[in-house]
Amino acid sequence: MPMKIAINGAGIAGPALAYWLRRSGHEVLLIEEAASLRGGGYVIDFWGVGYDVAEKMGLIPDLRKLGYQVEEMRFVDDRNRRSGGFRTDVFNRMTGGRFTSLRRADVSATIYRTLEGVETLFGDSIAAIEEHDGGVHIAFDHAPPRDVDLVVGADGLHSRVRELVFGPQERFEVSLGYHVVAFEVGGYRPRDERVYVSYALPGRQISRFAMRDDRTLFLIVFRDEYLAGENPATDAARRVAVSRIFHGTGWECDRILAAMERADDVYFDRVSQIRMESWAKGRTVLIGDAAACVSLLAGEGTGLALAEAYVLAGELHRARGDYATAFARYQDRMLPFLRDKQQSAAKFASSFAPGSAFGIRFRNLVTRLLAVPAVANFFVGRDMRDNIELPDYGE
């Protein structure tokens, strides 16, 4: 039975869900707080169950074209000498070549281009949700209110839909003890093409990756303790905090901090997970990071969001209008899988910023040994496998 479905959030999960719902004949309203699709952002590794869903959507040729075939992960010391790392063909071997790296924003834009006939409200967000016997009355920050059959929160770690329906974020957020910063600039030197270069100090890591059009992406990770209790709330305060944490620490850090000052947009956030017992309440359901964020450092959040979208839409199609049954089946299928991914991500997070000099040396040693298949299978093989079988919903 066709329904009117409002989706708050046009990152990855929202557009992917809109794609599958539209194929089932539903009327979809997509709402995005930003004035347009978000650009820039960090680079993600794309493989596994998300790759399978993208293939079902016919997106792989475009995503491969947009992607970067990274050849090496390189860890360096303060003199830029290689101290660890590995060739990324280990990932290609484990995934049968079904692996690429690309901007998260490029994945979002590629999906969005397929959404012919889907209405989008940019520069707006759901502000109130009132459920009644026949559906849901939703109010917006700016647009006139509407009535729909279902509401989906696909609005990320800091989900407004989750807060409105399930309660404040602190009830569900679990910090992994790190903050992450990402930005990109043009004209930075040096450039190491197809190489992801990282420099680590105890509890801190700063990385760069050369992108197209003479752009360089920077990803910075540090333990919360380096904020010394600060909670910088403005862009200026956050840049000051990052500069204080990394100033004078060697390698290219001061040069990178200077580049940060001319970056148009600096992403700054906690590294957290969202852990919930239930993703649905009445006619509202959560998806993607709003439901079960595995954390930015997990490396697979984009692919997992695609899988969740496929399963949720498929269960709604299979249940023929019985949304309560569809929500329960969606959660039963995805929640155990996502919990397992969260546990793996929590363990893996410390490898980005080991807390001691010994931890850094051990991490670097392990990465040098990843060229040995048995070692690679032991340390990363399990995390590269997605132990879930996607149903065929016959769409």
PDB file of all heavy atoms in Angstrom, residues 282-308:
ATOM      1  N   GLY A 282       6.000   3.899  17.465  1.00  0.00           N
ATOM      2  CA  GLY A 282       4.818   4.281  16.705  1.00  0.00           C
ATOM      3  C   GLY A 282       5.108   4.313  15.219  1.00  0.00           C
ATOM      4  O   GLY A 282       5.593   3.335  14.638  1.00  0.00           O
ATOM      5  N   ARG A 283       4.840   5.449  14.602  1.00  0.00           N
ATOM      6  CA  ARG A 283       5.035   5.609  13.163  1.00  0.00           C
ATOM      7  C   ARG A 283       6.384   6.249  12.811  1.00  0.00           C
ATOM      8  O   ARG A 283       6.590   6.671  11.684  1.00  0.00           O
ATOM      9  CB  ARG A 283       3.902   6.456  12.581  1.00  0.00           C
ATOM     10  CG  ARG A 283       2.537   5.762  12.592  1.00  0.00           C
ATOM     11  CD  ARG A 283       1.434   6.698  12.126  1.00  0.00           C
ATOM     12  NE  ARG A 283       0.141   6.025  12.037  1.00  0.00           N
ATOM     13  CZ  ARG A 283      -0.360   5.476  10.929  1.00  0.00           C
ATOM     14  NH1 ARG A 283       0.334   5.530   9.805  1.00  0.00           N
ATOM     15  NH2 ARG A 283      -1.543   4.877  10.943  1.00  0.00           N
ATOM     16  N   THR A 284       7.280   6.317  13.780  1.00  0.00           N
ATOM     17  CA  THR A 284       8.605   6.900  13.551  1.00  0.00           C
ATOM     18  C   THR A 284       9.680   5.831  13.685  1.00  0.00           C
ATOM     19  O   THR A 284       9.636   4.998  14.591  1.00  0.00           O
ATOM     20  CB  THR A 284       8.883   8.027  14.562  1.00  0.00           C
ATOM     21  OG1 THR A 284       7.914   9.062  14.404  1.00  0.00           O
ATOM     22  CG2 THR A 284      10.275   8.613  14.364  1.00  0.00           C
ATOM     23  N   VAL A 285      10.652   5.861  12.779  1.00  0.00           N
ATOM     24  CA  VAL A 285      11.741   4.896  12.803  1.00  0.00           C
ATOM     25  C   VAL A 285      13.049   5.608  12.473  1.00  0.00           C
ATOM     26  O   VAL A 285      13.060   6.627  11.761  1.00  0.00           O
ATOM     27  CB  VAL A 285      11.463   3.740  11.809  1.00  0.00           C
ATOM     28  CG1 VAL A 285      11.469   4.248  10.365  1.00  0.00           C
ATOM     29  CG2 VAL A 285      12.453   2.596  11.990  1.00  0.00           C
ATOM     30  N   LEU A 286      14.142   5.089  12.998  1.00  0.00           N
ATOM     31  CA  LEU A 286      15.472   5.681  12.781  1.00  0.00           C
ATOM     32  C   LEU A 286      16.305   4.783  11.865  1.00  0.00           C
ATOM     33  O   LEU A 286      16.107   3.573  11.816  1.00  0.00           O
ATOM     34  CB  LEU A 286      16.194   5.859  14.113  1.00  0.00           C
ATOM     35  CG  LEU A 286      15.487   6.701  15.169  1.00  0.00           C
ATOM     36  CD1 LEU A 286      16.273   6.672  16.480  1.00  0.00           C
ATOM     37  CD2 LEU A 286      15.297   8.133  14.684  1.00  0.00           C
ATOM     38  N   ILE A 287      17.256   5.416  11.205  1.00  0.00           N
ATOM     39  CA  ILE A 287      18.110   4.699  10.253  1.00  0.00           C
ATOM     40  C   ILE A 287      19.479   5.376  10.217  1.00  0.00           C
ATOM     41  O   ILE A 287      19.628   6.552  10.549  1.00  0.00           O
ATOM     42  CB  ILE A 287      17.451   4.691   8.850  1.00  0.00           C
ATOM     43  CG1 ILE A 287      18.185   3.751   7.890  1.00  0.00           C
ATOM     44  CG2 ILE A 287      17.357   6.087   8.282  1.00  0.00           C
ATOM     45  CD1 ILE A 287      17.472   3.567   6.568  1.00  0.00           C
ATOM     46  N   GLY A 288      20.505   4.623   9.818  1.00  0.00           N
ATOM     47  CA  GLY A 288      21.844   5.185   9.690  1.00  0.00           C
ATOM     48  C   GLY A 288      22.420   5.577  11.040  1.00  0.00           C
ATOM     49  O   GLY A 288      22.168   4.935  12.061  1.00  0.00           O
ATOM     50  N   ASP A 289      23.215   6.642  11.060  1.00  0.00           N
ATOM     51  CA  ASP A 289      23.853   7.085  12.294  1.00  0.00           C
ATOM     52  C   ASP A 289      22.850   7.486  13.362  1.00  0.00           C
ATOM     53  O   ASP A 289      23.154   7.425  14.556  1.00  0.00           O
ATOM     54  CB  ASP A 289      24.798   8.256  12.013  1.00  0.00           C
ATOM     55  CG  ASP A 289      26.102   7.812  11.368  1.00  0.00           C
ATOM     56  OD1 ASP A 289      26.336   6.591  11.271  1.00  0.00           O
ATOM     57  OD2 ASP A 289      26.890   8.690  10.963  1.00  0.00           O
ATOM     58  N   ALA A 290      21.668   7.913  12.973  1.00  0.00           N
ATOM     59  CA  ALA A 290      20.653   8.271  13.957  1.00  0.00           C
ATOM     60  C   ALA A 290      20.249   7.067  14.793  1.00  0.00           C
ATOM     61  O   ALA A 290      19.918   7.195  15.975  1.00  0.00           O
ATOM     62  CB  ALA A 290      19.423   8.856  13.261  1.00  0.00           C
ATOM     63  N   ALA A 291      20.292   5.878  14.205  1.00  0.00           N
ATOM     64  CA  ALA A 291      19.877   4.658  14.894  1.00  0.00           C
ATOM     65  C   ALA A 291      21.034   3.944  15.566  1.00  0.00           C
ATOM     66  O   ALA A 291      20.920   3.506  16.721  1.00  0.00           O
ATOM     67  CB  ALA A 291      19.210   3.703  13.897  1.00  0.00           C
ATOM     68  N   ALA A 292      22.162   3.817  14.875  1.00  0.00           N
ATOM     69  CA  ALA A 292      23.252   2.975  15.374  1.00  0.00           C
ATOM     70  C   ALA A 292      24.587   3.432  14.816  1.00  0.00           C
ATOM     71  O   ALA A 292      25.285   2.662  14.152  1.00  0.00           O
ATOM     72  CB  ALA A 292      23.006   1.516  15.015  1.00  0.00           C
ATOM     73  N   CYS A 293      24.941   4.676  15.072  1.00  0.00           N
ATOM     74  CA  CYS A 293      26.228   5.188  14.591  1.00  0.00           C
ATOM     75  C   CYS A 293      27.355   4.292  15.096  1.00  0.00           C
ATOM     76  O   CYS A 293      27.457   4.023  16.297  1.00  0.00           O
ATOM     77  CB  CYS A 293      26.432   6.623  15.100  1.00  0.00           C
ATOM     78  SG  CYS A 293      28.007   7.351  14.637  1.00  0.00           S
ATOM     79  N   VAL A 294      28.196   3.825  14.184  1.00  0.00           N
ATOM     80  CA  VAL A 294      29.325   2.985  14.584  1.00  0.00           C
ATOM     81  C   VAL A 294      30.568   3.823  14.872  1.00  0.00           C
ATOM     82  O   VAL A 294      31.544   3.321  15.413  1.00  0.00           O
ATOM     83  CB  VAL A 294      29.651   1.927  13.507  1.00  0.00           C
ATOM     84  CG1 VAL A 294      28.526   0.909  13.403  1.00  0.00           C
ATOM     85  CG2 VAL A 294      29.933   2.572  12.160  1.00  0.00           C
ATOM     86  N   SER A 295      30.531   5.085  14.487  1.00  0.00           N
ATOM     87  CA  SER A 295      31.569   6.113  14.649  1.00  0.00           C
ATOM     88  C   SER A 295      32.297   6.328  13.341  1.00  0.00           C
ATOM     89  O   SER A 295      32.460   5.397  12.531  1.00  0.00           O
ATOM     90  CB  SER A 295      32.584   5.814  15.753  1.00  0.00           C
ATOM     91  OG  SER A 295      33.684   5.068  15.278  1.00  0.00           O
ATOM     92  N   LEU A 296      32.739   7.543  13.155  1.00  0.00           N
ATOM     93  CA  LEU A 296      33.453   7.922  11.931  1.00  0.00           C
ATOM     94  C   LEU A 296      34.702   7.064  11.731  1.00  0.00           C
ATOM     95  O   LEU A 296      35.067   6.739  10.596  1.00  0.00           O
ATOM     96  CB  LEU A 296      33.819   9.401  12.018  1.00  0.00           C
ATOM     97  CG  LEU A 296      34.561  10.038  10.855  1.00  0.00           C
ATOM     98  CD1 LEU A 296      34.160  11.503  10.721  1.00  0.00           C
ATOM     99  CD2 LEU A 296      36.080   9.970  11.059  1.00  0.00           C
ATOM    100  N   LEU A 297      35.354   6.663  12.823  1.00  0.00           N
ATOM    101  CA  LEU A 297      36.599   5.916  12.706  1.00  0.00           C
ATOM    102  C   LEU A 297      36.384   4.463  12.322  1.00  0.00           C
ATOM    103  O   LEU A 297      37.342   3.745  12.043  1.00  0.00           O
ATOM    104  CB  LEU A 297      37.375   5.989  14.031  1.00  0.00           C
ATOM    105  CG  LEU A 297      37.793   7.388  14.478  1.00  0.00           C
ATOM    106  CD1 LEU A 297      38.627   7.315  15.746  1.00  0.00           C
ATOM    107  CD2 LEU A 297      38.567   8.119  13.386  1.00  0.00           C
ATOM    108  N   ALA A 298      35.133   4.006  12.284  1.00  0.00           N
ATOM    109  CA  ALA A 298      34.868   2.611  11.929  1.00  0.00           C
ATOM    110  C   ALA A 298      35.167   2.340  10.467  1.00  0.00           C
ATOM    111  O   ALA A 298      35.492   1.221  10.080  1.00  0.00           O
ATOM    112  CB  ALA A 298      33.424   2.249  12.238  1.00  0.00           C
ATOM    113  N   GLY A 299      35.007   3.360   9.626  1.00  0.00           N
ATOM    114  CA  GLY A 299      35.351   3.213   8.219  1.00  0.00           C
ATOM    115  C   GLY A 299      34.269   2.619   7.341  1.00  0.00           C
ATOM    116  O   GLY A 299      34.441   2.525   6.131  1.00  0.00           O
ATOM    117  N   GLU A 300      33.129   2.189   7.928  1.00  0.00           N
ATOM    118  CA  GLU A 300      32.123   1.499   7.113  1.00  0.00           C
ATOM    119  C   GLU A 300      30.731   2.087   7.301  1.00  0.00           C
ATOM    120  O   GLU A 300      29.744   1.517   6.834  1.00  0.00           O
ATOM    121  CB  GLU A 300      32.101   0.004   7.455  1.00  0.00           C
ATOM    122  CG  GLU A 300      31.462  -0.846   6.382  1.00  0.00           C
ATOM    123  CD  GLU A 300      31.397  -2.328   6.735  1.00  0.00           C
ATOM    124  OE1 GLU A 300      31.861  -2.702   7.839  1.00  0.00           O
ATOM    125  OE2 GLU A 300      30.887  -3.100   5.919  1.00  0.00           O
ATOM    126  N   GLY A 301      30.608   3.236   7.975  1.00  0.00           N
ATOM    127  CA  GLY A 301      29.290   3.788   8.254  1.00  0.00           C
ATOM    128  C   GLY A 301      28.467   4.043   7.017  1.00  0.00           C
ATOM    129  O   GLY A 301      27.244   3.819   7.013  1.00  0.00           O
ATOM    130  N   THR A 302      29.102   4.497   5.952  1.00  0.00           N
ATOM    131  CA  THR A 302      28.374   4.772   4.705  1.00  0.00           C
ATOM    132  C   THR A 302      27.761   3.497   4.140  1.00  0.00           C
ATOM    133  O   THR A 302      26.588   3.459   3.763  1.00  0.00           O
ATOM    134  CB  THR A 302      29.315   5.411   3.681  1.00  0.00           C
ATOM    135  OG1 THR A 302      29.721   6.693   4.167  1.00  0.00           O
ATOM    136  CG2 THR A 302      28.628   5.582   2.333  1.00  0.00           C
ATOM    137  N   GLY A 303      28.533   2.438   4.073  1.00  0.00           N
ATOM    138  CA  GLY A 303      28.024   1.176   3.554  1.00  0.00           C
ATOM    139  C   GLY A 303      26.922   0.592   4.422  1.00  0.00           C
ATOM    140  O   GLY A 303      25.936   0.048   3.914  1.00  0.00           O
ATOM    141  N   LEU A 304      27.065   0.714   5.737  1.00  0.00           N
ATOM    142  CA  LEU A 304      26.042   0.197   6.637  1.00  0.00           C
ATOM    143  C   LEU A 304      24.737   0.969   6.476  1.00  0.00           C
ATOM    144  O   LEU A 304      23.649   0.393   6.539  1.00  0.00           O
ATOM    145  CB  LEU A 304      26.537   0.278   8.082  1.00  0.00           C
ATOM    146  CG  LEU A 304      27.792  -0.547   8.393  1.00  0.00           C
ATOM    147  CD1 LEU A 304      28.220  -0.333   9.839  1.00  0.00           C
ATOM    148  CD2 LEU A 304      27.565  -2.025   8.113  1.00  0.00           C
ATOM    149  N   ALA A 305      24.831   2.287   6.269  1.00  0.00           N
ATOM    150  CA  ALA A 305      23.626   3.092   6.043  1.00  0.00           C
ATOM    151  C   ALA A 305      22.893   2.644   4.782  1.00  0.00           C
ATOM    152  O   ALA A 305      21.655   2.584   4.746  1.00  0.00           O
ATOM    153  CB  ALA A 305      23.998   4.575   5.940  1.00  0.00           C
ATOM    154  N   LEU A 306      23.640   2.327   3.734  1.00  0.00           N
ATOM    155  CA  LEU A 306      23.020   1.826   2.497  1.00  0.00           C
ATOM    156  C   LEU A 306      22.292   0.501   2.748  1.00  0.00           C
ATOM    157  O   LEU A 306      21.183   0.280   2.236  1.00  0.00           O
ATOM    158  CB  LEU A 306      24.080   1.635   1.419  1.00  0.00           C
ATOM    159  CG  LEU A 306      24.592   2.897   0.729  1.00  0.00           C
ATOM    160  CD1 LEU A 306      25.794   2.577  -0.144  1.00  0.00           C
ATOM    161  CD2 LEU A 306      23.508   3.529  -0.114  1.00  0.00           C
ATOM    162  N   ALA A 307      22.904  -0.367   3.537  1.00  0.00           N
ATOM    163  CA  ALA A 307      22.266  -1.654   3.834  1.00  0.00           C
ATOM    164  C   ALA A 307      21.001  -1.460   4.651  1.00  0.00           C
ATOM    165  O   ALA A 307      19.973  -2.110   4.399  1.00  0.00           O
ATOM    166  CB  ALA A 307      23.251  -2.553   4.575  1.00  0.00           C
ATOM    167  N   GLU A 308      21.047  -0.590   5.650  1.00  0.00           N
ATOM    168  CA  GLU A 308      19.859  -0.325   6.465  1.00  0.00           C
ATOM    169  C   GLU A 308      18.717   0.217   5.599  1.00  0.00           C
ATOM    170  O   GLU A 308      17.550  -0.175   5.774  1.00  0.00           O
ATOM    171  CB  GLU A 308      20.198   0.661   7.567  1.00  0.00           C
ATOM    172  CG  GLU A 308      21.121   0.105   8.646  1.00  0.00           C
ATOM    173  CD  GLU A 308      21.624   1.195   9.566  1.00  0.00           C
ATOM    174  OE1 GLU A 308      20.826   1.713  10.359  1.00  0.00           O
ATOM    175  OE2 GLU A 308      22.827   1.541   9.476  1.00  0.00           O
TER     176      GLU A 308
END
